[in-house]
Amino acid sequence: MSMPILMTVDDDPSVSRAVARDLRRRYGSDYRVVRADSGADALDALREIKLRGDAVAAILADYRMPNMNGIAFLEQAMDLFPHARRALLTAYADTDAAIQAINVVDVDHYLLKPWDPPEEKLYPVVDALVETWHAVGDRPVEETKLIGHRWSRPSYEVRQFLARNSVPYRWYSVDEPEAVRLLEAAGATREEIPVVITPDGKALRAPTGPEIAAAVGLSTEPAAEFYDLVVIGGGPAGLGAALYGASEGLRTVLVEKKATGGQAGQSSRIENYLGFPDGVSGAQLTGRARRQALKFGAEVLTARDVVGLTVRGSARVITFGDGSEIATHAVVLATGVSYRSLQAEGIERLTGQGVYYGSASTEAQSCSGEDVYIVGGANSAGQAAVFFSRYARTVTLLVRGPALERSMSYYLIEQLRAIDNVRVRVCTTVEAVEGEEHLERVTLRDASTNTTETLPTNHLFVFIGAAPRTEWLGDAILRDSHGFVCTGPDLLREGHRPQGWTLDRDPLYLESSVPGVFVAGDVRSQSVKRVASAVGEGAMAVALVHRYLEER
């Protein structure tokens, strides 16, 4: 096979030659560098490459080109090579263009000219592009097929599971002719949907998460019975702990119930995370973190439900839902939080059938030209409103409080104000949702006027509150009145250590009431609910694990 291609597009011949020269110097042994002087010429070259069956790993395009600027070119290039990674070459004055490119063509990076020295400014960007391309690929993949119904809650849950675990799949509505043929070939009926057909032809009828995970090649079984560190929860805090634990020589396993990323992984765009001035989607950020943890040797178990944590001598024992166990020297609890249930008539019946918790990106296309309602006033709700504004006719943000400023970042508020099809309704709650097979209407109450209004909609997304879901921990691990786990100084009441504490020292800063069990991220009492702080606490927890292990 021929080498994959790095393409550079710039109408300035001197710049074009310079980019190609620097790329060949670093990547010439593994990639073929192709350069073009205009967007039109580059598209012609990409068509020829497509016909030859070659792969394009990354495209670097100048923004300021006549006739067709870099954004317009990249938008067309995506149709030919959707998995090729994309970077926009811009001048300092073109920052707005770079932001536009993020929204229109989802560029991975923008690169300011000049980029000298390339070792500092060019190569790290291209390294990231090709690393991501190798992880995602630009070659035919064996797809998992999913047959279901748009308004089926189990079908929605399987779609979310596959999407959040980055499993390539093709969706077939049960009424499509091809879906009928697939069901017949699989010996299944429409009453058994959702039906998952794996690349090797195995048909799973109404499968559970663990069944799907095992069938599509996700790791579900631990490789050992004993570890140095078990991390429970795969959000930013858990990924941070797994990465640092594995990179520092601890035999580490991360256990996740659904998919790595947590709530952050569902964010359409995180723009205030340090080191990503052009923003990054939650899936991109947490996907990179997962690959990084795996690179250092961490195990990642998916679709495993942890139901118990007990102390047996010096070991901490984790019990799974199927009754199996693994033991460890130390534990990091990073289970995060879940969105609280919306208290409104009809919610439970219509969840997954027009009512969704979190940003259901799999529903974006179905929102095209429709009216979407989003409940919540924090950053996650604002990010979802920006995301769905690209598809929906209107997006209405329903906020219980009198203003957004108390709960949402300023930059996000300003973005929402600039989007024509986004509306914000403050002092507003959802009183009821209605529909036969799916959501059809929502009733809103305006607290300022004490009036109600019923409006038609098929899409309601909920981002309210934070419930830690820590009931499974039992009584040994002390929690506050809301269920968040207490740690460190918060465990010392009137100078006394927590009941049952067996060590001569006080609990370490992120240590729970059980020695060797540490807590990081949103599940910790009094934590700062931010992605950056969660990652930091995951790293800090590993440092404290080392201290704990040294004193044993």
Side-chain angles (χ1 to χ4, degrees):
M1 293 183 63
S2 59
M3 292 188 294
I5 290 168
L6 300 178
M7 172 174 276
T8 172
V9 189
D10 199 303
D11 65 305
D12 185 330
S14 62
V15 174
S16 180
R17 285 193 296 270
V19 176
R21 178 200 64 215
D22 288 340
L23 290 177
R24 289 191 183 100
R25 182 184 302 160
R26 175 68 171 260
Y27 306 98
S29 61
D30 299 310
Y31 297 86
R32 184 157 60 93
V33 177
V34 174
R35 67 184 182 93
D37 296 329
S38 70
D41 289 346
L43 289 173
D44 287 341
L46 288 174
R47 293 185 186 101
E48 291 183 13
I49 294 167
K50 189 74 173 180
L51 291 174
R52 290 198 303 267
D54 292 338
V56 177
I59 304 172
L60 288 75
D62 183 45
Y63 170 65
R64 293 191 179 189
M65 293 190 294
N67 301 321
M68 181 188 297
N69 67 29
I71 298 174
F73 159 69
L74 288 173
E75 193 169 10
Q76 294 188 48
M78 287 173 63
D79 294 333
L80 293 166
F81 290 93
H83 296 294
R85 310 324 301 172
R86 301 169 289 278
L88 194 69
L89 302 176
T90 67
Y92 281 102
D94 295 331
T95 303
D96 289 342
I99 294 173
Q100 181 188 357
I102 293 167
N103 295 328
V104 174
V105 294
D106 196 26
V107 294
D108 298 279
H109 293 274
Y110 68 86
L111 184 65
L112 293 176
K113 298 188 291 187
W115 58 85
D116 289 331
E119 290 77 13
E120 295 180 10
K121 297 183 179 179
L122 175 64
Y123 296 153
V125 169
V126 180
D127 285 346
L129 293 175
V130 298
E131 178 189 349
T132 303
W133 178 77
H134 275 293
V136 175
D138 190 15
R139 50 197 176 278
V141 295
E142 296 181 320
E143 288 180 333
T144 295
K145 299 177 180 67
L146 171 59
I147 305 163
H149 192 284
R150 177 185 175 187
W151 301 119
S152 159
R153 181 172 181 174
S155 297
Y156 160 74
E157 290 173 346
V158 173
R159 290 180 73 183
Q160 282 290 90
F161 181 85
L162 293 172
R164 292 191 59 199
N165 282 287
S166 301
V167 177
Y169 74 95
R170 184 179 295 275
W171 163 259
Y172 296 90
S173 175
V174 70
D175 298 317
E176 295 179 30
E178 183 63 17
V180 174
R181 288 190 286 269
L182 287 169
L183 287 175
E184 183 179 355
T189 66
R190 59 183 296 138
E191 286 72 29
E192 295 176 292
I193 64 168
V195 173
V196 174
I197 302 175
T198 63
D200 62 1
K202 182 180 180 181
L204 308 176
R205 298 165 176 82
T208 63
E211 290 172 340
I212 299 171
V216 300
L218 297 174
S219 180
T220 60
E221 296 296 330
E225 296 179 353
F226 198 96
Y227 292 85
D228 296 318
L229 175 63
V230 171
V231 180
I232 305 175
L239 287 167
L243 190 158
Y244 280 96
S247 68
E248 294 172 11
L250 299 178
R251 183 160 193 181
T252 302
V253 60
L254 182 150
V255 183
E256 169 55 44
K257 183 177 181 179
K258 293 182 179 179
T260 53
Q263 285 190 11
Q266 300 182 67
S267 295
S268 54
R269 180 67 56 179
I270 300 171
E271 297 188 70
N272 59 349
Y273 189 78
L274 184 67
F276 290 86
D278 49 352
V280 62
S281 74
Q284 285 177 322
L285 180 65
T286 56
R288 291 173 182 177
R290 184 180 186 274
R291 294 198 302 273
Q292 201 172 6
L294 290 170
K295 182 184 77 172
F296 285 116
E299 289 181 44
V300 177
L301 305 183
T302 306
R304 295 305 301 262
D305 190 14
V306 177
V307 298
L309 170 58
T310 56
V311 176
R312 295 181 190 169
S314 62
R316 276 67 184 131
V317 178
I318 307 301
T319 303
F320 296 115
D322 62 0
S324 61
E325 297 178 338
I326 55 174
T328 179
H329 289 306
V331 174
V332 173
L333 293 175
T335 50
V337 294
S338 302
Y339 293 114
R340 285 206 305 265
S341 298
L342 184 65
Q343 299 303 305
E345 184 180 346
I347 282 290
E348 178 61 29
R349 184 174 66 85
L350 294 175
T351 296
Q353 298 169 249
V355 177
Y356 308 100
Y357 287 88
S359 182
S361 57
T362 54
E363 298 299 311
Q365 294 295 337
S366 66
C367 294
S368 179
E370 300 196 9
D371 299 317
V372 170
Y373 290 82
I374 296 174
V375 183
N379 280 7
S380 54
Q383 290 160 352
V386 173
F387 173 71
F388 283 110
S389 70
R390 290 189 259 165
Y391 302 90
R393 178 174 61 185
T394 65
V395 177
T396 303
L397 197 61
L398 307 174
V399 184
R400 177 188 294 270
L404 287 173
E405 281 73 11
R406 292 184 179 180
S407 54
M408 189 178 293
S409 296
Y410 175 77
Y411 83 90
L412 202 47
I413 295 173
E414 290 299 296
Q415 277 191 30
L416 293 174
R417 286 173 178 164
I419 301 175
D420 292 336
N421 64 335
V422 172
R423 299 178 296 171
V424 178
R425 291 185 55 162
V426 297
C427 301
T428 302
T429 56
V430 177
E431 189 165 271
V433 295
E434 301 172 86
E436 296 301 323
E437 294 184 351
H438 59 86
L439 176 67
E440 297 175 12
R441 296 171 298 279
V442 59
T443 299
L444 308 180
R445 176 171 292 279
D446 188 326
S448 60
T449 61
N450 199 29
T451 57
T452 61
E453 180 181 13
T454 299
L455 300 166
T457 185
N458 297 140
H459 303 279
L460 179 70
F461 298 91
V462 182
F463 299 82
I464 57 169
R469 314 296 187 203
T470 53
E471 301 84 0
W472 63 275
L473 287 171
D475 297 330
I477 294 182
L478 186 64
R479 304 186 295 280
D480 65 19
S481 58
H482 299 288
F484 294 91
V485 182
C486 299
T487 58
D490 291 337
L491 293 170
L492 304 176
R493 302 300 182 199
E494 299 178 358
H496 298 291
R497 293 168 182 157
Q499 185 176 0
W501 186 258
T502 58
L503 302 181
D504 291 335
R505 61 165 176 81
D506 290 341
L508 300 173
Y509 184 70
L510 297 180
E511 197 168 20
S512 74
S513 54
V514 172
V517 177
F518 298 84
V519 189
D522 290 359
V523 73
R524 187 176 67 83
S525 180
Q526 307 299 319
S527 67
V528 178
K529 305 299 188 284
R530 289 290 185 269
V531 175
S533 62
V535 173
E537 287 190 7
M540 183 190 299
V542 171
L544 298 176
V545 165
H546 283 295
R547 288 180 57 181
Y548 168 75
L549 294 177
E550 288 169 358
E551 68 185 18
R552 287 164 50 85

